[in-house]
């Protein structure tokens, strides 16, 4: 590999049927005002319009 680089991935993943119950506790550390960009998964119906 060429050059110097830094890779950081501080990520915590919760799995299981109750995983969303952990979300409030995870988000509490970011404070009352934070921005979370999100993207919707592509719909399977959209695939028909691309053909």
């Amino acid at each position: 590999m060429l050059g110097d680089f830094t890779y950081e991935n501080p990520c915590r993943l919760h799995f299981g049927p109750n995983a969303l119950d952990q979300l409030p506790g995870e988000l509490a550390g970011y404070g009352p005002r934070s921005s979370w960009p999100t993207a919707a998964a592509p719909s399977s119906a959209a695939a028909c319009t691309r053909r």
Side-chain angles (χ1 to χ4, degrees):
M1 202 173 278
L2 299 175
D4 295 332
F5 70 96
T6 301
Y7 176 77
E8 182 178 348
N9 189 4
C11 183
R12 183 177 302 179
L13 301 175
H14 296 276
F15 294 95
N18 299 320
L20 286 179
D21 295 341
Q22 304 296 322
L23 188 58
E26 293 295 331
L27 295 178
Y30 291 97
R33 301 186 76 180
S34 61
S35 175
W36 289 91
T38 59
S43 171
S44 61
C48 293
T49 61
R50 286 186 266 153
R51 291 183 185 173

